[in-house]
Amino acid sequence: VLAVDYYVSPTGNNSNNGTSTSTPWQTIARVNQVDFNAGDRVFFQGGQSFSGTISITSEDGGTSSSPVVIGSYGTGRATIAAPANAAGIDIYNVGGISIRDLVVQGPGKNSTSGTGISFYTDLANNVKVQFGRIDNVEVFGFRNGIQIGAWNASTGWNDVRITNSIARDNLHSGISTYAQNSNVHTNLYIGNCRAYSNTGDPNSTGNTGSGIVIGNANGATVERCVAYNNGIDNKPTEGPVGIWAYYSNNVTIQLNEAYDNKTSNGDGGGFDLDLGVTNSVMQYNYSHDNAGAGYMLWGAGGGNIVRYN
């Protein structure tokens, strides 16, 4: 099957074929009606806003060599404006997806339970869903900004990269990963990103308001990122940190800056290797002007190295 490029514009028409800039579709709803194949690409008109949730499911999906691409065309980046209590872009149980050159806007961090860009799987049999890319996006106004998640024993993601992106003004976290078991996600990379003004939820009983959080990974790198002004509304004694990891193995946190991170009660530090972290390295980072510890080891396991910070 030959790959197809599709175009979406506010001046388009959903009865068009969508395959050129002169015959674009008009809405996200029309995009969601199509089952995309490897190599297909969907481009939203730059500088324009589109309401709804882009939903990519197991009927869609590409490969690492021929991903399904969601991006912008023309001048500037298109905005995906999510409704309340819904994701902006929702990737469920399918790999081979590349998201780039978009702004994903929520209705406001206190007005939604949705995640800006969600990669989530709950497939059986401890599988690893392959390949995800997020590049040059800005995500704000959600419960969580960018989240890579899994919940079915050791099912998770492999080969996911988040680069050159901004996650700001979200409630619980800027960029985060989680799974049901420890050491699940593999080959995670977060680079050249900024996570700031993710405030935390004053009504939560757990830690909220972190910039970048690696949870439940076995092989992850966070580098050349900046996390600042996060966590001010966290209330529990277990609090947020600018950049940190938990229940993970073989994590490298390097060449980052964390500053002006806050809390209303506990933590509020710059960097942390937390509970269940093993064989990990925290190096070449710059931590300053945080409410809590510059660098913390909390309940971490063996084999961790902290140096050159």
Side-chain angles (χ1 to χ4, degrees):
V1 178
L2 292 175
V4 180
D5 287 352
Y6 298 96
Y7 299 87
V8 191
S9 167
T11 61
N13 190 309
N14 286 342
S15 62
N16 287 342
N17 60 21
T19 57
S20 75
T21 56
S22 58
T23 58
W25 296 329
Q26 186 180 41
T27 66
I28 288 174
R30 181 66 181 88
V31 172
N32 289 341
Q33 291 174 4
V34 175
D35 293 340
F36 295 106
N37 300 306
D40 287 351
R41 302 188 298 178
V42 184
F43 297 115
F44 292 82
Q45 186 175 3
Q48 303 299 315
S49 183
F50 302 85
S51 297
T53 299
I54 299 173
S55 180
I56 303 294
T57 63
S58 55
E59 289 79 25
D60 306 292
T63 64
S64 58
S65 58
S66 255
V68 171
V69 176
I70 304 169
S72 298
Y73 76 93
T75 302
R77 292 183 293 185
T79 295
I80 306 302
N85 303 320
I89 303 176
D90 185 28
I91 312 299
Y92 177 54
N93 281 342
V94 63
I97 307 296
S98 176
I99 299 166
R100 66 189 196 207
D101 308 325
L102 291 168
V103 175
V104 185
Q105 177 180 346
K109 64 184 177 66
N110 296 312
S111 302
T112 185
S113 60
T115 294
I117 300 177
S118 171
F119 279 61
Y120 181 76
T121 178
D122 55 6
L123 293 170
N125 302 318
N126 300 321
V127 301
K128 296 291 186 283
V129 181
Q130 301 291 320
F131 191 88
R133 295 290 185 270
I134 299 172
D135 182 66
N136 190 32
V137 302
E138 181 173 2
V139 182
F140 61 93
F142 292 92
R143 183 182 179 91
N144 293 285
I146 300 171
Q147 193 164 65
I148 311 300
W151 204 262
N152 193 339
S154 291
T155 283
W157 294 88
N158 176 64
D159 187 16
V160 174
R161 295 175 65 90
I162 304 169
T163 51
N164 307 307
S165 294
I166 293 171
R168 63 171 178 87
D169 296 287
N170 302 292
L171 187 65
H172 272 221
S173 65
I175 301 172
S176 59
T177 76
Y178 71 94
Q180 187 169 10
N181 291 348
S182 300
N183 306 343
V184 168
H185 304 300
T186 51
N187 299 316
L188 296 179
Y189 180 85
I190 301 172
N192 294 291
C193 291
R194 286 191 290 155
Y196 61 91
S197 300
N198 302 289
T199 58
D201 181 358
N203 299 311
S204 177
T205 57
N207 72 79
T208 60
S210 292
I212 300 173
V213 188
I214 297 292
N216 312 92
N218 187 8
T221 298
V222 182
E223 65 181 9
R224 302 187 187 280
C225 294
V226 182
Y228 62 95
N229 192 39
N230 298 293
I232 191 169
D233 290 334
N234 177 81
K235 301 297 186 189
T237 54
E238 175 192 350
V241 174
I243 300 175
W244 62 291
Y246 67 92
Y247 290 135
S248 294
N249 180 63
N250 188 25
V251 176
T252 299
I253 298 175
Q254 64 183 7
L255 302 165
N256 305 287
E257 182 180 10
Y259 68 94
D260 200 25
N261 293 294
K262 303 175 172 72
T263 181
S264 292
N265 197 346
D267 292 330
F271 297 88
D272 174 27
L273 300 180
D274 210 275
L275 198 65
V277 173
T278 54
N279 305 310
S280 295
V281 181
M282 192 156 61
Q283 63 186 5
Y284 305 115
N285 301 291
Y286 180 31
S287 181
H288 61 97
D289 300 284
N290 297 293
Y295 302 90
M296 182 164 69
L297 295 168
W298 180 268
N304 295 311
I305 298 170
V306 181
R307 63 187 178 191
Y308 311 139
N309 298 289

